[in-house]
Amino acid sequence: MYNSILVPIDISETELTHQVIPFVQAHAVMNTARVHFLTVIPSLPYYSTLGLAYSIEMPKMKEIQHAALSKLDELAKQFKLPSEKIQTHVATGSPKDQILKLADSINADLIIIASHRPDISTYLLGSNAAAVVRHARCPVLVVR
Ligand code: ADP
């Protein structure tokens, strides 16, 4: 039933949110779906709000993107899906905006997202997960 599944992954989390793995596997195996993994590198204004922009020399964005993609490729292996079924993507900007944008451009018919970082229990639904649930044009599976 599903052709295109989007799985956003925050690679800055110390550990992959493991509870999403069985859900992605189940939905990918039952279908001929292609699984798209996306990680978003928050854009520079985010760093400057932390006061980091002037104290740390930012490595070139290309290098950051390359490193992010390698890490995402590594994490994607943990899902144990056939390599021809998966595709990895890196974007820069606001995670929620980029997740919604890629969902449109790959014509996602399902988004599988963790509700929040496993170590942060203050919010039942993190801000990115909440925005995706609210604005996505396709079903969203929130894993908790
Ligand atoms: P929290 O604030 O607890 O981290 P979020 O809503 O940001 O909650 O995160 C929930 C999920 O949203 C993550 O598990 C991931 O699927 C997605 N997400 C968050 N940040 C990013 C990011 N930078 N790139 C890709 N996906 C992200």
Tab-separated table of all heavy atoms in Angstrom, residues 8-10 13 38-40 95 99 113-117 126-129, ligand 1:
chain	number	residue	atom	x	y	z
A	8	PRO	N	12.615	10.567	9.213
A	8	PRO	CA	13.567	11.594	9.617
A	8	PRO	C	14.389	11.100	10.802
A	8	PRO	O	13.847	10.500	11.730
A	8	PRO	CB	12.684	12.772	10.038
A	8	PRO	CG	11.273	12.383	9.753
A	8	PRO	CD	11.238	10.904	9.631
A	9	ILE	N	15.686	11.346	10.742
A	9	ILE	CA	16.592	10.872	11.801
A	9	ILE	C	17.432	12.053	12.283
A	9	ILE	O	18.065	12.737	11.479
A	9	ILE	CB	17.564	9.787	11.256
A	9	ILE	CG1	16.817	8.602	10.643
A	9	ILE	CG2	18.564	9.368	12.333
A	9	ILE	CD1	16.430	7.517	11.601
A	10	ASP	N	17.438	12.259	13.587
A	10	ASP	CA	18.280	13.303	14.176
A	10	ASP	C	19.629	12.675	14.530
A	10	ASP	O	19.737	11.972	15.527
A	10	ASP	CB	17.587	13.848	15.430
A	10	ASP	CG	18.360	14.972	16.093
A	10	ASP	OD1	19.477	15.293	15.624
A	10	ASP	OD2	17.854	15.528	17.082
A	13	GLU	N	21.460	13.007	18.016
A	13	GLU	CA	21.118	12.176	19.168
A	13	GLU	C	22.262	11.215	19.401
A	13	GLU	O	22.833	10.680	18.452
A	13	GLU	CB	19.848	11.356	18.888
A	13	GLU	CG	18.583	12.159	18.969
A	13	GLU	CD	17.361	11.327	18.574
A	13	GLU	OE1	17.434	10.090	18.644
A	13	GLU	OE2	16.368	11.938	18.189
A	38	LEU	N	16.144	10.891	6.201
A	38	LEU	CA	16.557	12.292	6.078
A	38	LEU	C	17.146	12.771	7.392
A	38	LEU	O	16.568	12.563	8.461
A	38	LEU	CB	15.344	13.170	5.739
A	38	LEU	CG	15.542	14.685	5.920
A	38	LEU	CD1	16.521	15.266	4.901
A	38	LEU	CD2	14.204	15.419	5.836
A	39	THR	N	18.287	13.445	7.316
A	39	THR	CA	18.742	14.184	8.481
A	39	THR	C	18.897	15.647	8.102
A	39	THR	O	19.294	15.971	6.977
A	39	THR	CB	20.046	13.607	9.090
A	39	THR	OG1	20.194	14.158	10.405
A	39	THR	CG2	21.273	13.919	8.254
A	40	VAL	N	18.515	16.525	9.008
A	40	VAL	CA	18.578	17.958	8.728
A	40	VAL	C	19.636	18.597	9.627
A	40	VAL	O	19.612	18.412	10.851
A	40	VAL	CB	17.214	18.641	8.965
A	40	VAL	CG1	17.292	20.125	8.607
A	40	VAL	CG2	16.114	17.943	8.177
A	95	PRO	N	14.554	21.659	10.814
A	95	PRO	CA	14.193	20.247	10.633
A	95	PRO	C	12.749	20.054	10.189
A	95	PRO	O	12.481	19.365	9.201
A	95	PRO	CB	14.478	19.635	12.006
A	95	PRO	CG	15.584	20.474	12.567
A	95	PRO	CD	15.299	21.874	12.076
A	99	ILE	N	11.731	18.431	6.641
A	99	ILE	CA	11.043	17.131	6.645
A	99	ILE	C	9.781	17.223	5.781
A	99	ILE	O	9.518	16.392	4.914
A	99	ILE	CB	10.688	16.688	8.093
A	99	ILE	CG1	11.965	16.391	8.896
A	99	ILE	CG2	9.766	15.473	8.080
A	99	ILE	CD1	11.754	16.275	10.419
A	113	ILE	N	8.080	8.713	12.554
A	113	ILE	CA	8.883	9.658	13.335
A	113	ILE	C	8.780	9.318	14.820
A	113	ILE	O	7.729	8.873	15.291
A	113	ILE	CB	8.380	11.103	13.036
A	113	ILE	CG1	9.346	12.160	13.559
A	113	ILE	CG2	6.979	11.340	13.560
A	113	ILE	CD1	9.053	13.559	13.002
A	114	ALA	N	9.891	9.491	15.549
A	114	ALA	CA	9.833	9.291	17.000
A	114	ALA	C	9.187	10.520	17.633
A	114	ALA	O	9.320	11.635	17.125
A	114	ALA	CB	11.234	9.072	17.560
A	115	SER	N	8.501	10.314	18.760
A	115	SER	CA	7.778	11.434	19.370
A	115	SER	C	8.723	12.485	19.939
A	115	SER	O	8.432	13.667	19.919
A	115	SER	CB	6.838	10.928	20.460
A	115	SER	OG	7.536	10.122	21.384
A	116	HIS	N	9.857	12.051	20.452
A	116	HIS	CA	10.858	12.977	20.991
A	116	HIS	C	12.123	12.206	21.270
A	116	HIS	O	12.145	10.977	21.187
A	116	HIS	CB	10.348	13.659	22.264
A	116	HIS	CG	9.929	12.704	23.348
A	116	HIS	ND1	10.824	12.036	24.151
A	116	HIS	CD2	8.702	12.258	23.716
A	116	HIS	CE1	10.164	11.258	24.985
A	116	HIS	NE2	8.870	11.361	24.739
A	117	ARG	N	13.185	12.941	21.638
A	117	ARG	CA	14.433	12.277	22.005
A	117	ARG	C	14.190	11.369	23.203
A	117	ARG	O	13.479	11.761	24.135
A	117	ARG	CB	15.493	13.318	22.378
A	117	ARG	CG	16.413	13.628	21.224
A	117	ARG	CD	17.288	14.798	21.577
A	117	ARG	NE	16.512	16.027	21.455
A	117	ARG	CZ	17.031	17.233	21.636
A	117	ARG	NH1	18.297	17.373	21.971
A	117	ARG	NH2	16.278	18.302	21.483
A	126	GLY	N	7.827	16.229	20.688
A	126	GLY	CA	8.823	17.264	20.424
A	126	GLY	C	8.327	18.261	19.388
A	126	GLY	O	7.334	18.010	18.702
A	127	SER	N	9.013	19.370	19.251
A	127	SER	CA	8.502	20.443	18.387
A	127	SER	C	8.518	20.044	16.912
A	127	SER	O	7.603	20.395	16.162
A	127	SER	CB	9.308	21.720	18.606
A	127	SER	OG	10.649	21.502	18.225
A	128	ASN	N	9.535	19.293	16.503
A	128	ASN	CA	9.568	18.872	15.100
A	128	ASN	C	8.498	17.826	14.826
A	128	ASN	O	7.774	17.910	13.826
A	128	ASN	CB	10.957	18.346	14.743
A	128	ASN	CG	11.972	19.476	14.726
A	128	ASN	OD1	11.869	20.389	13.918
A	128	ASN	ND2	12.927	19.436	15.643
A	129	ALA	N	8.393	16.860	15.731
A	129	ALA	CA	7.374	15.824	15.556
A	129	ALA	C	5.976	16.457	15.535
A	129	ALA	O	5.137	16.108	14.691
A	129	ALA	CB	7.482	14.790	16.675
B	1	ADP	P1	13.014	16.647	20.665
B	1	ADP	O1	12.874	18.116	20.852
B	1	ADP	O2	12.727	15.815	21.880
B	1	ADP	O3	14.319	16.271	20.005
B	1	ADP	P2	11.851	16.496	18.056
B	1	ADP	O4	10.446	16.756	17.663
B	1	ADP	O5	12.904	17.474	17.633
B	1	ADP	O6	11.864	16.270	19.624
B	1	ADP	O7	12.342	15.085	17.528
B	1	ADP	C1	11.459	14.042	17.274
B	1	ADP	C2	11.851	13.397	15.970
B	1	ADP	O8	11.876	14.414	14.955
B	1	ADP	C3	13.256	12.788	15.914
B	1	ADP	O9	13.329	11.491	16.460
B	1	ADP	C4	13.463	12.754	14.409
B	1	ADP	O10	12.711	11.723	13.818
B	1	ADP	C5	12.850	14.085	13.995
B	1	ADP	N1	13.918	15.108	13.969
B	1	ADP	C6	14.222	16.023	14.920
B	1	ADP	N2	15.296	16.769	14.539
B	1	ADP	C7	15.679	16.293	13.331
B	1	ADP	C8	16.738	16.612	12.410
B	1	ADP	N3	17.632	17.571	12.651
B	1	ADP	N4	16.818	15.897	11.251
B	1	ADP	C9	15.930	14.919	10.987
B	1	ADP	N5	14.940	14.571	11.807
B	1	ADP	C10	14.801	15.235	12.968
